[in-house]
Amino acid sequence: MTNRTFTLTDQDGKSSEFDVLEGTHGPGCIAISDLYAKTGCFTYDPGFGATGSCKSAISFINGEEGILLHRGYPIDQLAEKSSYLEICYLLLNGELPTKPEFAEFDNTIKQHTMVHENIRDFINGFRYDAHPMAMLVGTVGALSSFYHDSIDISNPEHREISAHRLIAKLPTIASYCYKHHRGLPFMYPDNSLGYVENFMQMMFAVPAQDYVQSPTAARALEVMMILHADHEQNASTSTVRLAGSSGANPFASIAAGIASLWGPAHGGANEAVINMLDSIYNSGETIETTIARAKDKNDPFRLMGFGHRVYKNFDPRAKIIAGLCHDLLDELGGDQPMFDLALELEQATLADDYFRERRLYPNVDFYSGIILRALNIPMNMFTVMFAMARTVGWISHWLEMHHDPEFRIGRPRQIYTGHAKRDYPS
Ligand code: ACO
């Protein structure tokens, strides 16, 4: 994996040599596990901007060129040609399924779409006005109390069945969080439907009348879910790996990932984007004042849906979603003025030196809220939709970690800046 080395020389002229590890794509990584032994120092990298935490074969981002690959396949090809459940198989297993493999996988997932009846009571215990993300993080964590027959993490069959349960049950739980919030009856899954259509049915149907599926809406949601399925070692995925590295069970590890996703700097940004566009549209803010606030270093406000730790060019997912908005808003009856406003804001940032110099472009969350709104998904469910789609990515990383011969508990170091050692007053 390497034929390059890197040499560090300290001020006394003592040199230490380190291997440079190369992956299939991307820059090399200096292997520093023995750095302390060789130099007596640790590394310091707040936010882990220059730190590789693991080897992974699941997804790859080239942030300079705006490329995202899932198991080697470009995201635009997957969004056009694949289905969400096929992506789940691909991420979990490394290869696209044959027809019989897909049929078996589809059937396995369908076996697990229902949840234990007591989970309905569990969700009913939340306050009526609880945020759906608060209910989701609590309920997914609680799954380990309902399915403790499959949480022996040293057993490969248990690991697999937990992965299938999570993928199958997330749409059911997500829809229950919404129904509870609205005071509406929970709908059971219908296994005659596809994965996405089944979620739409549980989310929007009521027992009193038939629910008519819209193939256009289902395909739009399916594409959104494909685009959100995985994304390398982002904050929530790294959280799942770190939580899981201690041997925590898969349900607890994924609950930790959901908690991390909730923040506005990560998956919570899709909700924040719509709030920002709403305030430009309805409450006297203009594009100019919004951009000026985002550039003002004395104002903590940031332009929501812009910028990314890795993409320093267009986020390829944002391009696909913007295309979806162009194609679908008329058909879905979405908020065209809000989309026009988003396009105007994007154009204004492209012409602005602040955003150009810092290479801040729209990310996936900038346009996703507009599509979700057109699908009648309420704003406080946006991050739940992201979590539902990302669950397969999280669990694929959790499984990969458990196969990794170099896997050990994650435990970063620190620079201690507190008091020097001192004695307790006598
Ligand atoms: N608006 C205004 N300025 C910004 C923005 C923004 N959205 N994002 C970054 N900047 C500026 C920073 O102030 C900084 O400026 P400086 O060099 O003058 O100090 C520079 O650009 C670099 O920013 P960092 O904070 O160092 O970038 P980092 O990689 O740490 O943060 C992040 C990335 C969190 C995504 C950031 O761009 C941000 O807060 N964006 C808005 C929230 C958002 O859209 N999050 C969704 C991310 S995608 C996802 O999670 C699915």
Side-chain angles (χ1 to χ4, degrees):
M1 204 173 177
T2 180
N3 50 20
R4 270 204 292 163
T5 58
F6 188 90
T7 305
L8 261 184
T9 307
D10 70 15
Q11 73 279 10
D12 301 324
K14 183 181 170 234
S15 290
S16 313
E17 200 171 83
F18 301 92
D19 286 339
V20 176
L21 306 182
E22 310 280 359
T24 319
H25 294 303
C29 285
I30 304 165
I32 54 145
S33 296
D34 54 357
L35 182 77
Y36 180 70
K38 285 178 171 168
T39 68
C41 289
F42 296 128
T43 52
Y44 180 60
D45 182 22
F48 311 119
T51 298
S53 60
C54 61
K55 291 174 188 155
S56 180
I58 300 175
S59 52
F60 170 75
I61 303 170
N62 178 331
E64 297 298 320
E65 292 177 29
I67 292 170
L68 168 61
L69 307 177
H70 283 172
R71 299 286 190 185
Y73 296 106
I75 192 65
D76 50 326
Q77 294 179 22
L78 296 176
E80 190 192 330
K81 298 180 182 159
S82 187
S83 69
Y84 179 72
L85 211 53
E86 189 182 52
I87 302 290
C88 289
Y89 186 97
L90 174 68
L91 291 173
L92 286 173
N93 298 292
E95 294 297 337
L96 288 167
T98 60
K99 272 194 175 162
E101 283 168 344
F102 183 76
E104 192 188 335
F105 181 65
D106 185 36
N107 186 45
T108 303
I109 295 301
K110 283 184 170 154
Q111 297 314 307
H112 293 293
T113 50
M114 290 197 297
V115 293
H116 193 290
E117 280 293 290
N118 289 3
I119 290 178
R120 297 156 71 95
D121 301 333
F122 183 88
I123 292 176
N124 274 324
F126 286 109
R127 260 182 72 122
Y128 72 97
D129 58 352
H131 194 288
M133 277 299 279
M135 294 190 253
L136 188 73
V137 76
T139 308
V140 171
L143 289 182
S144 39
S145 71
F146 289 97
Y147 300 104
H148 44 76
D149 59 335
S150 67
I151 56 172
D152 174 3
I153 59 156
S154 63
N155 181 329
E157 277 175 27
H158 281 208
R159 296 201 297 263
E160 187 181 45
I161 194 172
S162 296
H164 292 158
R165 278 180 167 152
L166 277 157
I167 293 166
K169 293 183 197 309
L170 250 286
T172 314
I173 295 170
S175 73
Y176 285 5
C177 294
Y178 168 69
K179 293 287 194 187
H180 175 67
H181 185 67
R182 293 285 311 274
L184 292 167
F186 299 152
M187 298 296 292
Y188 283 109
D190 177 348
N191 286 345
S192 69
L193 298 171
Y195 187 91
V196 174
E197 290 81 358
N198 183 35
F199 169 73
M200 299 286 261
Q201 184 272 141
M202 289 187 287
M203 176 87 185
F204 295 117
V206 289
Q209 60 191 62
D210 287 341
Y211 171 68
V212 182
Q213 293 273 350
S214 153
T216 309
R219 182 60 196 161
L221 182 57
E222 178 139 48
V223 172
M224 292 284 292
M225 292 188 64
I226 292 171
L227 297 180
H228 286 84
D230 192 45
H231 212 226
E232 269 195 7
Q233 310 306 323
N234 54 81
S236 56
T237 302
S238 298
T239 302
V240 169
R241 281 183 177 263
L242 194 56
S245 77
S246 69
N249 75 63
F251 303 111
S253 303
I254 301 302
I258 295 172
S260 167
L261 185 77
W262 195 356
H266 193 9
N270 50 18
E271 197 175 331
V273 168
I274 298 294
N275 282 328
M276 179 183 76
L277 292 174
D278 257 342
S279 70
I280 300 177
Y281 204 64
N282 294 318
S283 56
E285 289 270 7
T286 62
I287 288 184
E288 291 71 29
T289 55
T290 306
I291 287 185
R293 280 190 64 202
K295 289 159 53 172
D296 181 355
K297 293 292 169 202
N298 296 316
D299 188 332
F301 174 75
R302 284 186 165 196
L303 212 53
M304 285 293 130
F306 279 78
H308 196 274
R309 172 61 60 77
V310 184
Y311 291 120
K312 300 301 169 197
N313 198 322
F314 260 81
D315 178 338
R317 303 166 302 169
K319 268 192 192 166
I320 297 168
I321 299 185
L324 260 187
C325 290
H326 276 296
D327 295 348
L328 294 179
L329 282 192
D330 278 350
E331 223 174 316
L332 295 175
D335 194 339
Q336 186 68 43
M338 182 164 283
F339 180 48
D340 292 341
L341 181 66
L343 288 173
E344 233 183 289
L345 183 58
E346 180 188 327
Q347 287 310 314
T349 59
L350 292 178
D352 191 301
D353 284 347
Y354 175 96
F355 291 91
R356 277 214 305 262
E357 280 159 15
R358 289 169 180 75
R359 304 168 78 188
L360 302 169
Y361 295 98
N363 58 49
V364 68
D365 286 325
F366 188 58
Y367 290 110
S368 63
I370 294 170
I371 289 278
L372 291 174
R373 248 197 181 184
L375 296 173
N376 287 324
I377 309 278
M379 230 161 58
N380 60 10
M381 281 291 289
F382 284 5
T383 316
V384 171
M385 306 300 293
F386 192 158
M388 183 170 90
R390 182 56 61 83
T391 292
V392 67
W394 291 326
I395 199 66
S396 300
H397 282 269
W398 185 88
L399 290 167
E400 183 181 65
M401 182 180 73
H402 281 281
H403 280 119
D404 184 349
E406 292 174 327
F407 157 55
R408 58 205 287 240
I409 188 167
R411 206 310 185 176
R413 308 305 293 239
Q414 64 169 9
I415 298 178
Y416 173 66
T417 59
H419 283 287
K421 180 172 180 283
R422 52 184 171 164
D423 290 324
Y424 189 82
S426 44

